[in-house]
Amino acid sequence: MAKKTAAAKKKDIQPLVGKELLKKLKDLSHLSKREKAKECGYVVGKQVNLSGFMNAILEAKGISLDGDANNDGRGREATYRVKVHQNGQVVIGSTYTEKMGLQTGDEFEIKVGYKHIHLNQLTEDK
């Protein structure tokens, strides 16, 4: 009888999603990916559901892998790829700035590395 109760309790435990998941991940930054998935409830039987865990993280961060899910037929869809223009500029479209909640006048620090550029948003307290 005790086994059924424990199994029933396991079925009632739902994996973390959304803001709760992201908050928990900050607390678990010292653990491996597999351990993080376990702690966040992504276990099916004795197996860790890494695929479900990673998809939940992407969704929590507002990244949809379903291309047509939010497509209203207007404008271009975000592709997360950009090209350097003839004048040497790289333009980040409004889709990305809207997702981040950026406002006119927000400032960034640019750090150039080997084959990458980091944009770090500056906050008012810096």
Side-chain angles (χ1 to χ4, degrees), residues 16-70:
L16 296 177
V17 294
K19 290 181 181 179
E20 292 176 349
L21 175 61
L22 296 177
K23 184 178 178 189
K24 181 79 170 185
L25 286 175
K26 285 183 182 178
D27 296 337
L28 302 174
S29 62
H30 62 285
L31 296 178
S32 70
K33 186 176 7 178
R34 185 171 298 282
E35 289 299 317
K36 288 176 188 173
K38 284 181 187 178
E39 291 293 320
C40 292
Y42 288 85
V43 179
V44 179
K46 293 183 180 182
Q47 299 289 327
V48 177
N49 182 1
L50 282 177
S51 176
F53 176 62
M54 298 307 289
N55 286 337
I57 293 171
L58 289 173
E59 282 186 32
K61 291 185 175 189
I63 300 171
S64 175
L65 296 179
D66 298 327
D68 295 335
N70 294 323

Side-chain angles (χ1 to χ4, degrees), residues 56-123:
I57 293 171
L58 289 173
E59 282 186 32
K61 291 185 175 189
I63 300 171
S64 175
L65 296 179
D66 298 327
D68 295 335
N70 294 323
N71 191 356
D72 61 2
R74 297 181 295 158
R76 292 174 36 190
E77 187 176 320
T79 62
Y80 300 97
R81 294 180 74 163
V82 296
K83 291 183 179 180
V84 177
H85 294 255
Q86 284 183 329
N87 62 3
Q89 293 182 340
V90 175
V91 177
I92 299 172
S94 63
T95 302
Y96 311 105
T97 56
E98 288 171 5
K99 275 192 175 204
M100 288 185 66
L102 300 177
Q103 303 295 318
T104 301
D106 286 352
E107 294 183 340
F108 289 81
E109 174 186 45
I110 300 172
K111 291 187 178 180
V112 179
Y114 179 72
K115 292 193 174 191
H116 66 270
I117 298 171
H118 289 275
L119 295 176
N120 297 318
Q121 188 173 7
L122 299 176
T123 58

